Amino acid sequence: MITIADVEVARKRIAPHVRRTPVMALAQTREALGGAYRVTLKLECLQAAGSFKARGAMNRLLGGPTKPPKAGLVTASGGNHGLAVARTAFVAGIPAMVFLPRTASPEKVEKLREWKAHVDIVGHVFEHANAAAMDYAGRRDALYIHPFADPLVVAGQGTLGLDIMDEVPDVDTILVAIGGGGLIAGLATAVKARKMGVRIIGVQATGAPSMKASLEAGRVVTLDKITTKVATLAAKRTDERVFELIHKVVDHVTLVSDEEMAEAARWLWFELGVAADLSGSASIAALRSRRLDLRPGEHVCALICGAGSDGALG
């Protein structure tokens, strides 16, 4: 699907349009995460539009063979990808249409409208919203940007892996939330090209374990149902090409519950004043669960991939 060369090209292409988000060594907290390992946070929640998704959306727009159509951009999203597409369209001066499932955060819906996007709520899961988005693209001749099943999007997300390797060169393990899998596929491709020994651990919602089920089966599995309320992680299946990448470069996938993510979001807000959404808190939820096999002295990078008020208001 992509190689490290695609990620390096994407990094140069999108550099003027995205932020270089900070890293922070985790220290001076009231409640320790447990274990004799070191933790560095990558605060991608401070990215433009509030998540890593800004990288992939911008790379898709700039990397396409033609100028975007006058009808603008269209996508389906659990929230964060929609915000990134809306922001990309805003920067480009073209319209954006975003289809969301009913589980999308009202906060993100309001932000989409502030980015001047047109919003339509369709169905209860991503697949329903995505079908509507693809139909809209065909009828209106708009540029459809898939949240994870697009090589340019995956390469854009992979630039985050290059940033982490530049900023945390002695990292041993990186924790990455998984929805459809585009982020971890791109990030792991970049990281493993730089340093093969780095472990990549995916974190998926217990109520939407599509990637974990697929890896265990050795093929793409479509879940019968989704029970997580975290819309940004609620994918019933991944893409075949994304799965093939992940099968090669991801070392392990662990599961966390919605409540564990909510508790992690509250922990981030209380301890650090970091406003993360539930998917952005997944890496911390995995650490707090103490279900990971981490060695003493291991240097762990926990990716805080999305912003939200879940911890502040919870």
Side-chain angles (χ1 to χ4, degrees):
M1 189 181 195
I2 65 163
T3 67
I4 184 60
D6 298 309
V7 181
E8 290 170 342
V9 168
R11 192 186 206 185
K12 293 178 182 177
R13 181 184 290 135
I14 68 175
H17 307 285
V18 298
R19 298 172 187 154
R20 190 68 176 261
T21 55
V23 296
M24 181 179 69
L26 188 62
Q28 305 303 324
T29 58
R30 187 191 69 165
E31 178 191 337
L33 289 176
Y37 47 80
R38 292 187 293 149
V39 178
T40 295
L41 305 181
K42 175 61 171 173
L43 298 176
E44 191 67 5
C45 53
L46 300 179
Q47 185 55 260
S51 82
F52 71 94
K53 295 283 192 178
R55 299 169 182 264
M58 186 59 71
N59 194 50
R60 177 63 183 85
L61 177 65
L62 299 180
T66 61
K67 292 183 179 180
K70 291 181 179 180
L73 309 181
V74 60
T75 195
S77 170
N80 285 338
H81 176 68
L83 284 168
V85 169
R87 181 257 176 180
T88 299
F90 182 87
V91 170
I94 56 177
M97 181 72 196
V98 180
F99 291 86
L100 301 168
R102 292 189 179 95
T103 51
S105 159
E107 174 188 5
K108 294 186 189 295
V109 173
E110 181 59 31
K111 281 188 174 181
L112 279 165
R113 293 186 171 123
E114 290 182 17
W115 278 113
K116 308 303 181 184
H118 301 283
V119 178
D120 197 357
I121 309 297
V122 178
H124 293 278
V125 294
F126 166 77
E127 284 72 17
H128 297 156
N130 193 49
M134 294 181 70
D135 177 69
Y136 180 95
R139 288 187 292 105
R140 301 292 185 90
D141 195 30
L143 176 62
Y144 167 73
I145 302 183
H146 196 284
F148 56 87
D150 185 306
L152 285 167
V153 170
V154 174
Q157 320 305 29
T159 63
L160 182 50
L162 296 180
D163 285 1
I164 290 173
M165 294 311 298
D166 287 347
E167 296 154 358
V168 196
D170 64 340
V171 67
D172 298 305
T173 296
I174 303 174
L175 304 180
V176 186
I178 301 178
L183 168 61
I184 198 169
L187 182 150
T189 297
V191 169
K192 295 284 188 175
R194 287 280 187 92
K195 189 178 178 182
M196 181 59 73
V198 176
R199 281 199 305 166
I200 308 294
I201 298 179
V203 186
Q204 198 157 40
T206 302
S210 52
M211 189 62 69
K212 185 172 178 63
S214 296
L215 289 170
E216 290 174 351
R219 58 179 175 81
V220 174
V221 170
T222 301
L223 300 177
D224 292 331
K225 62 179 180 179
I226 296 287
T227 58
T228 182
K229 295 181 180 179
V230 184
T232 47
L233 299 182
K236 292 182 74 174
R237 64 175 283 133
T238 187
D239 173 75
E240 296 281 353
R241 297 165 299 169
V242 169
F243 172 74
E244 288 302 320
L245 262 184
I246 288 175
H247 184 70
K248 295 175 183 176
V249 294
V250 172
D251 297 282
H252 178 64
V253 175
T254 191
L255 300 179
V256 293
S257 69
D258 287 11
E259 182 53 36
E260 285 174 320
M261 286 185 275
E263 291 173 356
R266 290 191 287 269
W267 186 91
L268 281 164
W269 179 252
F270 177 83
E271 295 282 9
L272 305 170
V274 170
D277 66 5
L278 297 186
S279 58
S281 307
S283 60
I284 297 299
L287 286 171
R288 296 181 84 238
S289 76
R290 306 194 181 189
R291 292 191 290 269
L292 299 177
D293 181 21
L294 299 174
R295 303 177 301 275
E298 188 167 352
H299 192 175
V300 178
C301 179
L303 176 58
I304 313 301
C305 60
S309 62
D310 300 83
L313 299 179

